[in-house]
Amino acid sequence: MRTLPKIWLALALVIAGAAARPGNAVAQVSDGVVKIGVLSDMSSLYTDLAGAGSVVAANMAVEDSGIKKRGIKVEIVSADHQNKPDVGSNIARQWYDVDKVDVIVDVPNSGVALAVSQITKDKGKALLVSGAGTADLTGKACTPNTIHWTYDTWMLAHGTGKAIVKTGGNTWFFLTADYAFGQSLEKNTEDVVLENGGKVLGKVRHPLNTQDFSSFLLQAQASKAKIIGLANAGGDTTNAIKQAAEFGIGKGGQSLAGLLVFITDVNALGLPTAQGLILSNTFYWDANAETRAFAKRFAERNKGVHPTMVHAGVYSAVRHYLKAVEALKNDDGTKVVAKMKAMPTDDPLFGKGSIRADGRKIHPVYLYEVKKPSESKHPWDYYKLRNTIPADQAFRPMAQGGCPLVK
Amino acid sequence: MLSLGLAVIFGLLNIINFAHGAQYMLGAFGAWMLCEHAGLGYWPSLLIVPIAVGAIGIVIQRFMLSRLANLDHLYGLLLTFGIALVLQGVFTNIYGSSGLPYRLPPAFIGGFNLGFMFLPRYRLWVIAMSLVVCGGTWFVIERTKLGSYLRAATENPTLVQAFGINVPAMITLTYGFGVALAALAGVMAAPIYQVSPLMGANLIIVVFAVVVIGGMGSIGGSIVTGFGLGVVEGLTKYFYAEASNTVIFVVMVLVLLVKPRGLFGRER
C-alpha cells in the first residue's frame, strides 16, 4: 500500500505535464500563428446554443477561408467560462499573456463578455462577440477592440417587442433573468412598449438557471397583462414556456413573448409546446440554398444539432476576421478590428453587411413564427417567416448608444 | 421527496449521498427513454424507472460504497460526488444541455381556477403523491418491525447480525430504496421541467440544506422542513424574487446558530 501515493503522484505529474505542453509548444512558434480562442459555455445551460458548436463553426470558417493554403497558420483553442465573469477573465488573461491568443470569439453570457471586452481592450487584442446579448457592448461599454456580431438586446426588444405591441399586445409583465443580459433586455423592451403606447404592469427577476417558475407565473397571471415577456435565455426560457403551458397561460388569454429564443430551444421544447411563439432571429438555417448547405455540413459535425444564430455568427465573424488579417498581413488586435470595420462584410450566411464605428455588425433581422406540428415537414423544419426588418432599421442608431468612440 | 431519500440514506447508513441529484436526473431520463424508445407512457414509468435506477444504486453500494463503509464519511461524499459529475458529464455530452421534451400525461392537462390562483392538476397530483410516499416511508421506518431492525442495525451492526439478520443486505437495500425515491422524484419532475442533464446539479445543494435544517438523519424532520421551506421559498419568490435562491441558506445559517443539530436532530 505504501507505493500507492507515489503512483498517484506520478500520474498527477504526467497529467499536469500533458496539460502544460500545448502552451509551451506555442510559445516557441512566436507570432507566426493566428490563434483563435473560442470562449464559451461548454457545460451549463448555454452549451447547446453556443458551446462545442461554436468551436465547430470556427473550424469551418478557417477551412472555408482557405487561408492555410496561402501559408498563414491558424490555430483554434477553446475553454469553458462556466458563466462566471471571474473565470472568463482569468482564461482571457491567460490566453492573451501566456498562450498568445490573438482573438477571442463567441462568449455567451453578457456578464462574462463585458469583463472580457475590457481585458481585450487593455491588452490590445480583438474580441468578436456572437453569443452575448447586452447592447452595452456597442453602447457605453464599447471599445475599439470589440465587434458585436449576431444580435443584441436592443434589436431583440425592437424586433419582437414592437411587432407584438403593434398587433395589440399593449400590456406587459416581465420574467427577467437577474443579470446583465436579462436586465438590459428588460429595459430595452420596456422602452419599446412605452414608446408605442403600451404599459408595463409588473416584473419579476429570477436567478439565472431557475428550475421552478410556478410562483413567477402565478404573479404574471395575477397581473392580467396581455403579454408575458421572457427576458431570459436557454434553459430558463424553455422551462418557463413549458410551465406556462401547464398553468394554462395561453388559454387564459395571455400570450408569451420569448424575447430571445434559439432554434435549439424550440427543438428542446418540441413543436406541440412551442407552436405559435413569435421570435426575432438573424439567421435561420433553412433560409436559402447556401445556409442549408452550411447547416448540413455543420450538423454532421455537431451530433445532428443544427446551427443557431450564435454558431452562424461565430462562423461569419471568424471569416471576416481572417480576411482582415490577410489584407493587413498582421494580427495586431486593434489594427485588425479597425480593418474589419473598414471592409464590407460578405459571407454565405448573413450576406452582404457592414460593421459600424461603434463595433455593431449590421444585417437584417427576421421575425419568425414557430410552425404547428402539422406544418413541419422534416426534422428542424420549425420556422415560418413573418416579417423582415431591414438592416438599417434593425439595430440601435449609433447616436443613441452613447458609445464614446463615436462622440 | 428528494430530501427524504437523502435523509433515509444519511440517517440510516451515514452516507452523504452527493450523487442524489444525478440519480434524480437519471429518473427523469429513464422516463424519457421509456417513452421515446419503448413507447411506454407516464404510468408504467412511475414503477419501472425507480426500480431500475434503484438497482443501479444497489450496484453502486455493493461494489463501491461498501468498500468505504469503515472510513470517514468524507470518502463516501467524494465518491458519490465523483459519480454525480461523471453521470452529468456523460449525459450532457450525449443529449446536450437544452433538455428534452416530456409531455404531461393526458389525464393531467388543465387545472382548477381557485379564484385567487390557478392550480394545475398535475401539481396537485405531485403534492398528493409526495405526501403519501413521505408518510409511508416515515411509517415503515419509525413504526414497523423492519424499520426497527434497520435502526438497530445502524446503531450496532455486530449485535444485530448476531441475531441472524443479514445487515449488509439490509444496508444495500436501504441505499437502493433511497436512490429509488430520487428516481421517482425525477419521473414526477419530467413533465414539469425540461428533462436535462443539469436538472439535478442545482437542486442537490438545496436538498442538502433541507436535510441539514431538518436535522441530519431525522426522517420526520426532513419531511416537515421540505414542505416548510417550499412555502418560505414560494413566499420569497412572491415578495422579493431576487433572494429566492439565498433564502434557504439564510434559514440554514439561522437554524444552525440556534440549534446546531437541526430542528429535529437527535443527540447521537
Side-chain angles (χ1 to χ4, degrees), chain B residues 153-210:
Chain B
T154 51
E155 289 288 318
N156 194 339
T158 339
L159 190 68
V160 175
Q161 201 137 21
F163 286 118
I165 292 165
N166 188 346
V167 172
M170 228 155 99
I171 289 178
T172 307
L173 285 177
T174 310
Y175 184 80
F177 176 72
V179 173
L181 279 180
L184 180 63
V187 178
M188 303 204 58
I192 303 184
Y193 310 130
Q194 285 288 97
V195 176
S196 144
L198 305 169
M199 63 193 293
N202 306 313
L203 230 58
I204 186 74
I205 308 289
V206 177
V207 169
F208 260 103
V210 170

Side-chain angles (χ1 to χ4, degrees), chain B residues 5-81:
Chain B
L6 206 61
V8 167
I9 292 174
F10 182 80
L12 300 175
L13 311 178
N14 279 331
I15 297 168
I16 303 175
N17 188 28
F18 247 95
H20 216 69
Q23 284 152 350
Y24 159 80
M25 178 268 285
L26 274 187
F29 264 95
W32 179 81
M33 282 171 188
L34 279 185
C35 178
E36 196 75 352
H37 301 304
L40 289 175
Y42 178 76
W43 298 108
S45 304
L46 274 184
L47 192 68
I48 300 174
V49 173
I51 292 175
V53 179
I56 297 174
I58 287 177
V59 172
I60 291 175
Q61 204 284 333
R62 201 97 204 102
F63 294 100
M64 298 180 188
L65 283 170
S66 62
R67 292 163 190 270
L68 306 175
N70 300 322
L71 298 172
D72 194 312
H73 297 339
L74 275 179
Y75 289 89
L77 184 153
L78 288 175
L79 176 73
T80 50
F81 190 55

Side-chain angles (χ1 to χ4, degrees), chain A residues 62-363:
Chain A
V62 173
E63 287 161 25
D64 294 357
S65 73
I67 193 169
K68 285 183 173 168
K69 286 185 206 126
R70 294 188 288 279
I72 299 177
K73 274 195 198 164
V74 182
E75 250 183 68
I76 292 178
V77 291
S78 62
D80 183 3
H81 61 48
Q82 299 169 28
N83 291 308
K84 293 176 186 143
D86 54 331
V87 175
S89 303
N90 280 341
I91 295 169
R93 282 207 188 87
Q94 153 96 13
W95 271 357
Y96 289 148
D97 292 344
V98 183
D99 299 335
K100 307 242 161 144
V101 166
D102 299 298
V103 56
I104 291 182
V105 294
D106 199 8
V107 206
N109 189 314
S110 294
V112 183
L114 287 167
V116 172
S117 174
Q118 198 52 47
I119 296 167
T120 305
K121 181 191 169 201
D122 296 344
K123 307 274 180 196
K125 305 285 184 172
L127 173 65
L128 311 176
V129 178
S130 181
T134 176
D136 284 350
L137 283 166
T138 55
K140 60 181 192 236
C142 76
T143 83
N145 301 72
T146 297
I147 294 178
H148 198 178
W149 209 271
T150 313
Y151 63 94
D152 64 37
T153 50
W154 193 96
M155 164 240 133
L156 295 167
H158 283 72
T160 317
K162 207 171 186 172
I164 291 174
V165 180
K166 288 242 158 112
T167 49
N170 52 7
T171 51
W172 286 62
F173 186 96
F174 286 105
L175 286 187
T176 306
D178 195 13
Y179 74 109
F181 157 76
Q183 291 161 9
S184 168
L185 185 51
E186 178 202 284
K187 168 152 197 333
N188 290 147
T189 314
E190 188 173 358
D191 291 347
V192 175
V193 172
L194 297 178
E195 270 164 35
N196 289 278
K199 257 198 268 179
V200 175
L201 301 182
K203 49 180 102 168
V204 55
R205 291 186 171 162
H206 65 79
L208 181 66
N209 225 340
T210 292
Q211 286 271 313
D212 192 34
F213 282 87
S214 48
S215 40
F216 305 137
L217 290 167
L218 285 174
Q219 290 180 57
Q221 265 178 331
S223 77
K224 303 261 183 332
K226 284 186 197 159
I227 305 293
I228 299 171
L230 303 177
N232 47 24
D236 284 337
T237 308
T238 47
N239 265 328
I241 294 175
K242 190 167 178 183
Q243 288 166 42
E246 193 199 347
F247 278 87
I249 272 176
K251 287 174 198 129
Q254 292 178 304
S255 347
L256 287 181
L259 296 169
L260 178 53
V261 178
F262 295 95
I263 196 160
T264 44
D265 300 333
V266 172
N267 185 57
L269 283 164
L271 289 184
T273 313
Q275 58 181 314
L277 208 62
I278 294 168
L279 51 99
S280 331
N281 231 320
T282 53
F283 169 85
Y284 176 44
W285 71 272
D286 204 7
N288 60 48
E290 278 178 316
T291 56
R292 276 190 285 275
F294 170 79
K296 189 163 176 278
R297 286 166 54 217
F298 179 90
E300 278 164 10
R301 295 193 191 184
N302 195 38
K303 294 184 285 196
V305 176
H306 281 50
T308 63
M309 62 172 161
V310 172
H311 298 140
V314 167
Y315 176 88
S316 162
V318 170
R319 280 204 68 171
H320 191 61
Y321 171 84
L322 293 174
K323 234 186 255 176
V325 169
E326 264 194 283
L328 274 178
K329 307 210 165 22
N330 190 327
D331 59 2
D332 175 87
T334 318
K335 285 181 190 152
V336 176
V337 169
K339 183 74 186 169
M340 287 174 80
K341 287 178 184 173
M343 299 191 327
T345 62
D346 188 10
D347 63 73
L349 305 188
F350 290 84
K352 290 188 195 319
S354 62
I355 301 165
R356 288 193 319 212
D358 60 356
R360 180 67 253 166
K361 160 80 162 59
I362 297 297
H363 38 239

